[in-house]
Amino acid sequence: MPPAPADMAPAIHAETPEPDAPRRPVIQLVLAGTPGVSRQCPDHLRFLEARGHPVYEVALPWVHPLKRLPQFLKQARRLSRAELILTDEYFNAALVSALLRLTRSRARHAVLGLNVSGNRRLRSGFAPLDRLLNRLFFGRVDMAVVASKPEADLFAAEHGIPRDRFAFVRWSYDLPELDGHFAPPARPYFCLIGRNNRDHETFCAALEGLEAEGVIIAHTPPELELPPNVRAYVELPLGDCIACIRQAVANVILVRDADRGAGHITIVTAMHCARPQIISDVETALDYFTTGEHALTVPLADPAAVRAAMQSLMDDPDRADRMGRAARDYAARELTHARRSAVLEQRLRHWLDTEEVLWAPEDEPRAG
């Protein structure tokens, strides 16, 4: 691995206390509707609780990062005295890094979800200023977990985080049991669901003239005129989104570019729902499935390729169901809360015990 840049702080290594000395706390920062502090201990941190570290969950409001500052200031003393701080969001990670830098705290800082889903970044485009911003806001990221391998290279290049501080862990969860009230179209349909970086134009163009319907579920209304066989919904509940995927011919994830979010949450959800998928062929998505076995891949901005993939699944529904079952079986093994917790624990244990961040062990099961 290349050495850390000269203007970056080295990883901070906590001292080992005497056996009878009190252990410094471990703090996990999360975004939530109601701010507060609790003693909830997530599964991947129970080994630290067993070692005698009190584990706290500090919830911050889901608001603009600047509006979180009062909450951060309230917790500044607690955070600066911690053994380990864990964050799972870009701006929380940046604010913690700045706090640790300014207070000269010995606490270690691990980001368990550094991703490129949004457009807002802490950068100016002016190299000297960006070096200062990176030193303050990302110089105390001592370990960073990414959900796709290219994201490590993107963040290393953009924010100067040394490449050997990154670990790859797939985003995973257990599909919740929720009531869904989605009313499907009368004809077979394909769905495209997601907030960030979705290519609605290519989806709609692919469906023009196809004997099928299209369903878009987005954060805001699509910025184009929809063809007659495509309908759009805004901010449907998760249960409705799951019900929509379950009844579709296939889930479709088309992105505008390879530099932002690739729909990992939707990919994992559709796999648990036993549906095949049509996914843009971008590096940020490819660690979650095997092409041809779980999903079909298509080039960026290629309506003809998307239409051909849709038609092939409509022409062979048995194949579509086989792909869906294979995806469900893979997700049940590798894309669950228990699996992610176990991998996160293993990565954290190794880092805290050896001062080395594991990237992706060779024996880790891979999608393709």
Side-chain angles (χ1 to χ4, degrees):
M1 295 293 179
D7 64 337
M8 299 295 294
I12 304 299
H13 306 308
E15 298 176 2
T16 303
E18 296 298 325
D20 295 330
R23 300 282 180 135
R24 297 207 304 271
V26 172
I27 299 173
Q28 174 150 304
L29 284 173
V30 299
L31 293 176
T34 304
V37 179
S38 73
R39 286 298 303 270
Q40 292 190 66
C41 182
D43 293 341
H44 55 274
L45 299 181
R46 294 199 182 281
F47 78 99
L48 288 171
E49 193 174 55
R51 292 180 180 184
H53 295 281
V55 177
Y56 295 91
E57 180 181 271
V58 175
L60 300 174
W62 191 285
V63 294
H64 189 280
L66 289 177
K67 294 182 179 180
R68 296 177 209 161
L69 283 176
Q71 297 294 327
F72 263 93
L73 293 176
K74 288 180 181 179
Q75 299 297 329
R77 188 173 183 181
R78 183 195 300 272
L79 293 171
S80 66
R81 294 181 172 183
E83 172 77 14
L84 171 66
I85 303 171
L86 301 109
T87 53
D88 61 1
E89 190 271 340
Y90 177 88
F91 287 101
N92 277 359
L95 291 171
V96 166
S97 177
L99 174 70
L100 297 180
R101 173 74 74 186
L102 294 172
T103 61
R104 300 180 181 272
S105 170
R106 294 182 299 150
R108 296 187 186 187
H109 176 206
V111 187
L112 304 187
L114 204 54
N115 66 73
V116 294
S117 62
N119 292 321
R120 291 184 301 174
R121 309 278 185 83
L122 283 169
R123 59 182 178 180
S124 68
F126 180 56
L129 177 56
D130 283 337
R131 283 195 291 271
L132 293 174
L133 291 174
N134 286 339
R135 188 170 187 272
L136 176 63
F137 290 108
F138 297 95
R140 284 300 318 275
V141 173
D142 304 318
M143 174 184 178
V145 171
V146 290
S148 70
K149 294 178 179 177
E151 287 178 304
D153 295 325
L154 286 170
F155 277 112
E158 186 169 293
H159 290 313
I161 303 171
R163 185 61 178 76
D164 60 1
R165 295 187 189 180
F166 287 90
F168 167 64
V169 181
R170 293 182 184 88
W171 190 92
S172 309
Y173 83 134
D174 296 336
L175 194 68
E177 293 292 334
L178 298 172
D179 291 330
H181 305 287
F182 178 77
R187 294 196 297 175
Y189 70 94
F190 298 84
C191 58
L192 188 152
I193 302 173
R195 287 173 172 259
N196 298 306
N197 200 24
R198 296 300 190 269
D199 186 355
H200 297 145
E201 291 83 356
T202 296
F203 181 71
C204 290
L207 281 158
E208 287 188 22
L210 199 68
E211 291 298 317
E213 304 286 321
V215 173
I216 294 173
I217 302 176
H219 177 51
T220 57
E223 297 180 352
L224 75 161
E225 185 176 350
L226 302 179
N229 62 336
V230 177
R231 64 185 70 178
Y233 300 88
V234 175
E235 291 287 18
L236 289 187
L238 178 58
D240 287 359
C241 294
I242 291 172
C244 178
I245 292 173
R246 286 191 192 277
Q247 301 171 81
V249 176
N251 180 62
V252 181
I253 298 178
L254 305 178
V255 295
R256 296 180 180 276
D257 57 61
D259 298 327
R260 288 176 289 163
H264 299 136
I265 294 174
T266 315
I267 289 174
V268 173
T269 298
M271 295 182 88
H272 281 299
C273 289
R275 296 318 302 149
Q277 302 190 69
I278 299 170
I279 302 174
S280 292
D281 190 4
V282 293
E283 289 291 327
T284 44
L286 296 181
D287 281 299
Y288 284 77
F289 60 90
T290 299
T291 300
E293 182 178 347
H294 307 131
L296 305 177
T297 55
V298 292
L300 291 172
D302 190 336
V306 178
R307 185 183 298 112
M310 290 175 170
Q311 189 67 63
S312 71
L313 294 176
M314 291 176 64
D315 291 342
D316 192 349
D318 289 341
R319 180 195 182 199
D321 288 341
R322 286 196 304 273
M323 292 173 66
R325 289 192 297 270
R328 179 193 59 202
D329 293 345
Y330 176 78
R333 293 193 310 272
E334 301 300 334
L335 301 175
T336 64
H337 170 78
R339 173 62 176 160
R340 177 174 168 81
S341 294
V343 176
L344 282 176
E345 178 185 334
Q346 185 261 353
R347 298 290 201 279
L348 289 168
R349 276 182 181 271
H350 186 88
W351 171 52
L352 294 171
D353 292 345
T354 71
E355 304 181 359
E356 173 195 25
V357 177
L358 285 178
W359 168 240
E362 294 299 322
D363 60 352
E364 181 184 73
R366 301 171 61 85

